Structure formats: structure tokens, C-alpha cells
């Protein structure tokens, strides 16, 4: 998978989802620009970008943006949660920041 690294202004080759998780463990943030806006099951929140990063290599945090504004909500995940919640293959664009 080829993604854009917005810090180094270059394209980077990573080994799919596994490679992106490794980049997060190394201290980088992965931004997933979604194909369409998502909402939670309660209709409380909507977002169109997910910002994923690792807290300590074992715990991960997902922050959200909507139409260019960063939202105050975030969710915590462990490595096993990523199999269900971290879906870069469904994104329109993936960036490393």
C-alpha cells in the first residue's frame, strides 16, 4: 500500500494494515479520510476523518474530524480492537502525519 507522508512530503510504501499499525507504534499518526460521513449508532456524533495514533505501542486512540474541524471526542482501543475498528481499506485516502 502506498500512502502519503505529510511530514516528509513523500510517498511511503507500507505493508497494508499491519504496516500502518507498525507506523503508529513508531509514533506516527495515521489519518483515514473516509469515503462518506459516518455517524455513531446513537446519532450523537458524525465524522469524515479518523486520526489514529498509539499511546504506548499497546494502546491506541482514535480522534475524529468533521469537515476540517477536529472534534473533542476520542475513543481508546487495544491491539485486538484494531481488527474490528481500524479499517484503512475502506478509506478514500490514507495519510501518515
Amino acid at each position: 500500500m502506498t500512502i502519503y507522508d505529510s511530514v516528509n512530503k513523500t510517498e511511503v510504501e507500507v505493508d497494508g494494515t499491519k504496516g500502518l499499525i507498525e507506523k503508529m507504534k513508531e509514533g506516527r499518526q495515521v489519518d483515514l479520510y473516509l469515503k462518506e460521513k459516518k455517524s455513531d449508532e446513537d446519532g450523537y456524533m458524525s465524522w469524515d476523518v479518523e486520526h489514529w495514533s498509539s499511546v504506548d505501542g499497546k494502546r491506541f486512540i482514535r480522534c475524529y474530524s468533521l469537515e476540517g474541524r477536529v472534534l473533542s471526542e476520542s475513543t481508546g482501543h487495544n491491539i485486538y480492537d484494531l481488527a474490528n475498528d481500524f479499517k484503512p481499506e475502506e478509506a478514500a485516502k490514507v495519510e501518515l502525519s
Side-chain angles (χ1 to χ4, degrees), residues 29-81:
Q29 176 176 292
V30 175
D31 300 319
L32 305 180
Y33 293 84
L34 306 176
K35 294 176 184 172
E36 56 188 34
K37 187 171 22 176
K38 283 189 177 181
S39 293
D40 65 351
E41 59 273 355
D42 300 324
Y44 170 74
M45 183 176 75
S46 297
W47 65 95
D48 56 8
V49 181
E50 296 179 355
H51 308 281
W52 287 86
S53 56
S54 177
V55 177
D56 59 7
K58 298 175 188 166
R59 295 178 295 159
F60 299 83
I61 189 167
R62 172 174 49 175
C63 299
Y64 305 90
S65 292
L66 177 63
E67 299 171 354
R69 295 180 320 233
V70 177
L71 305 176
S72 62
E73 301 294 325
S74 64
T75 54
H77 304 267
N78 63 37
I79 190 72
Y80 306 106
D81 294 333

Side-chain angles (χ1 to χ4, degrees), residues 3-16:
I3 60 171
Y4 183 70
D5 183 337
S6 62
V7 173
N8 297 315
K9 310 284 189 244
T10 184
E11 292 200 344
V12 177
E13 190 68 32
V14 295
D15 183 22

